[in-house]
Amino acid sequence: EVHVYPPFPLSPEEDWPTILYTITFSRAWQPYIRGYLLLQIILNLTAMACFWLPPHCGERMLLGMTSLLASVTSDLVVSEKLPSVNEV
């Protein structure tokens, strides 16, 4: 990319002194993996564990509902902490 500038006032045969910056922003992804994704995986595996219990067990439905409620609650808590973006 070539920029054409007017002549430098003190020395017209030389170019203007220029400084070019490259700024890169990045976001840490590890806290999101630990705090959100792993929690959702563990809660969903716990919800699926209710199918491994025998059908006559009374705790089967309670385990599934508790895991589902914990998953939704953690999703609500985490969504409040995430920064808002325009892309979503």
Side-chain angles (χ1 to χ4, degrees):
E1 185 173 334
V2 177
H3 297 284
V4 179
Y5 300 103
F8 191 55
L10 299 178
S11 177
E13 51 280 336
E14 292 183 18
D15 291 333
W16 281 83
T18 57
I19 299 175
L20 300 177
Y21 291 101
T22 302
I23 300 173
T24 305
F25 293 99
S26 63
R27 183 181 292 171
W29 54 271
Q30 293 91 351
Y32 298 107
I33 297 295
R34 285 191 309 259
Y36 180 67
L37 191 62
L38 287 179
L39 178 63
Q40 289 296 325
I41 290 172
I42 291 170
L43 289 173
N44 286 328
L45 287 175
T46 308
M48 294 297 288
C50 71
F51 295 110
W52 296 329
L53 294 174
H56 61 274
C57 181
E59 300 297 321
R60 183 176 178 174
M61 185 65 79
L62 182 65
L63 177 65
M65 288 189 329
T66 304
S67 298
L68 177 66
L69 288 174
S71 177
V72 170
T73 305
S74 69
D75 190 28
L76 290 173
V77 169
V78 168
S79 68
E80 291 176 1
K81 292 181 180 181
L82 291 177
S84 60
V85 293
N86 293 333
E87 289 86 18
V88 178

